[in-house]
DNA sequence: AATAAACTGTCGCCAAATAGACAATTGGAT
DNA sequence: ATCCAATTGTCTATTTGGCGACAGTTTATT
């Protein structure tokens, strides 16, 4: 795959862009691209590991099924996000389902490529450990927030996360607050992420709209005031 | 520190006991022990990293404060548990408070020792990556359960976790079901772990007692039937 | 332009959980 | 033996959110 073509996309990842340029180059030249049609699974929970991925274009939904058969959405992966590293590093089965919500293009680093790479250059290990650490920190933060925030606070938090991309914010970072931001997501989907109901999400969104923070459209939400959303996502 | 003295304790960790014996030995001889009096903090959220720890004796509470000042208990660490690896590997601040609930003895592997160890033997990296992966898997599981289980299910799950130790269960593993198990914990503390209220926890415990699964005492709970608790912790 | 499908807005009812209050019980300390 | 602090048990009132129902709106398709 051509380096210059992929680079702008890959650079959107905080993790990737912090890698030494040689490693970036190695990853791109070693990796292969893969197409995935809308509605198809990239993998299911319990699948054997096949590689580490970066989403180049499209949209992936990451979720699990409860025993009752309800889908619990963990998150959507955005262009530039890396994922699949856990099974990659411990060899155990996938933790979640990953489904293409749109046609996707992925950059794939296979097991074998990965092992060879690290065998040759063990000094690269710390970089991949940082990727894992970032994942743990994000999930810890999620647990805290699920427990301590009101539903309204959780919703504000999610809207921001979806707008800003899913990577961990450096503590105290200032959110880019330039103008509006249009999110394409249904209230039903939001409810599945919050493990709440569509009706309740609708009610809260209407409140936020009345407060002038956002505007609700058909299948879309326009964020007006990210900084006020941020302050609300602490209550 | 003497290898033979610590070994039985350290072996309680699934992770540690899976390490090659030379690495086990290196860790014990490199590490230093540290005492921590009851009520003292080992570290607070946001602290700079100083090392990787294993709890040798005593009991540590891991928690966070909400903005409202309420303590959210993530878990109790049991003898044999390793922790503190995240900050160790990415160099960023601690994610939680860690407080001694009893006098504690800890085995500490300092930053410097750790870095020297890995610089000399980069083939050890995968072992530490497995430790991190285990942490991510445990937290993902926690997120799923918080979202999908009823409060009763969550409570059953926690009681089992407290009884069995906190390390990730291999999928489908059979719980040691030999006889009774006495947990020393107040209903108030359980409520803080579940992010629920004391009254509600009390009500559910009484239900479980009526069903013959356990018996409630002052500051203690005796588990009678772990396998039935397990089946309840899936609803 | 007509139709179907997906999504939103809003009822009202019900179950679950919170929170305050207070009595009763237990265990440790003096 | 007595007292105190911590913990438990159990009431209430109140809040929150889930869920069914259904009408209205938007978008895509033909």
């Amino acid at each position: 795959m051509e380096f210059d073509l992929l680079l702008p996309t890959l650079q959107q990842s905080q993790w990737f862009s912090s890698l030494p340029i040689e490693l970036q180059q190695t990853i791109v030249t070693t990796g292969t691209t893969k197409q995935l049609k809308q509605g198809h699974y990239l993998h299911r929970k319990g699948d054997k590991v096949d590689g580490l991925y970066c989403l180049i274009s499209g949209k992936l939904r990451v979720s699990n099924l409860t025993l009752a058969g309800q889908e619990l959405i963990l998150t959507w992966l955005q262009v530039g996000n890396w994922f699949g590293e856990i099974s990659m590093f411990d060899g155990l089965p996938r933790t979640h389902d990953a489904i293409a919500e749109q046609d996707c293009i992925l950059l794939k680093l296979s097991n074998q490529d990965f092992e060879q790479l690290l065998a040759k250059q063990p000094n690269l290990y710390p970089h991949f450990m940082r990727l894992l650490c970032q994942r743990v920190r994000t999930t810890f933060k999620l647990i805290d927030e699920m427990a301590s925030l009101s539903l309204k606070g959780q919703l504000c938090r999610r809207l921001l996360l979806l707008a800003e991309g899913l990577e961990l914010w450096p503590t105290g970072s200032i959110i880019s607050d330039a103008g509006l931001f249009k999110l394409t997501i249904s209230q039903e989907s939001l409810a599945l992420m919050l493990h709440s109901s569509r009706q309740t999400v609708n009610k809260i969104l209407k409140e936020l709209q009345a407060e002038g923070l956002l505007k609700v459209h058909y299948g879309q939400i326009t964020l007006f005031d990210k900084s006020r959303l941020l302050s609300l996502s602490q209550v």
Side-chain angles (χ1 to χ4, degrees), chain A residues 178-194:
Chain A
L180 314 179
F181 191 97
K182 199 156 62 171
L183 279 179
T184 299
I185 189 171
S186 73
Q187 297 177 11
E188 178 80 46
S189 296
L190 273 174
L192 286 175
M193 280 187 87
L194 299 178

Side-chain angles (χ1 to χ4, degrees), chain A residues 141 145 149 152-153 155-161 164 169-170 172-177 208 213 223 225-235:
Chain A
K141 203 163 181 179
E145 285 166 2
L149 296 183
K152 187 169 180 176
L155 179 53
C156 292
R157 192 73 173 79
R158 283 290 180 159
L159 292 173
L160 280 173
L161 272 177
E164 296 289 311
W169 303 346
S173 76
I174 297 165
I175 297 182
S176 68
D177 202 3
L208 292 171
L213 292 166
L223 306 184
D225 193 336
K226 287 196 197 168
S227 40
R228 272 175 70 203
L229 273 179
L230 178 58
S231 60
L232 272 178
S233 64
Q234 291 164 4
V235 186

Side-chain angles (χ1 to χ4, degrees), chain A residues 94-108:
Chain A
R94 295 289 185 200
T95 58
H96 293 87
D97 296 336
I99 311 164
E101 282 211 344
Q102 306 166 1
D103 292 354
C104 291
I105 301 177
L106 300 151
L107 181 64
K108 174 179 176 180

Side-chain angles (χ1 to χ4, degrees), chain A residues 143-156:
Chain A
I143 288 179
D144 269 10
E145 285 166 2
M146 282 172 69
S148 64
L149 296 183
S150 67
L151 203 49
K152 187 169 180 176
Q154 288 180 53
L155 179 53
C156 292

Side-chain angles (χ1 to χ4, degrees), chain A residues 83-95:
Chain A
F83 61 99
E85 73 287 343
I86 306 164
S87 296
M88 182 88 235
F89 298 145
D90 66 8
L92 297 173
R94 295 289 185 200
T95 58

Side-chain angles (χ1 to χ4, degrees), chain A residues 22 36-37 49 66 95 99 112 121 145 174 204 225 233:
Chain A
E22 308 82 43
L36 190 68
K37 283 280 172 200
V49 55
T66 63
T95 58
I99 311 164
Q112 297 86 338
Q121 299 177 256
E145 285 166 2
I174 297 165
I204 300 176
D225 193 336
S233 64

Side-chain angles (χ1 to χ4, degrees), chain A residues 1-20:
Chain A
M1 193 69 187
E2 288 163 53
F3 188 64
D4 292 344
L5 245 162
L6 287 179
L7 197 61
T9 302
L10 293 169
Q11 291 283 1
Q12 290 185 41
S13 162
Q14 202 180 300
W15 171 71
F16 187 86
S17 61
S18 73
L19 298 177

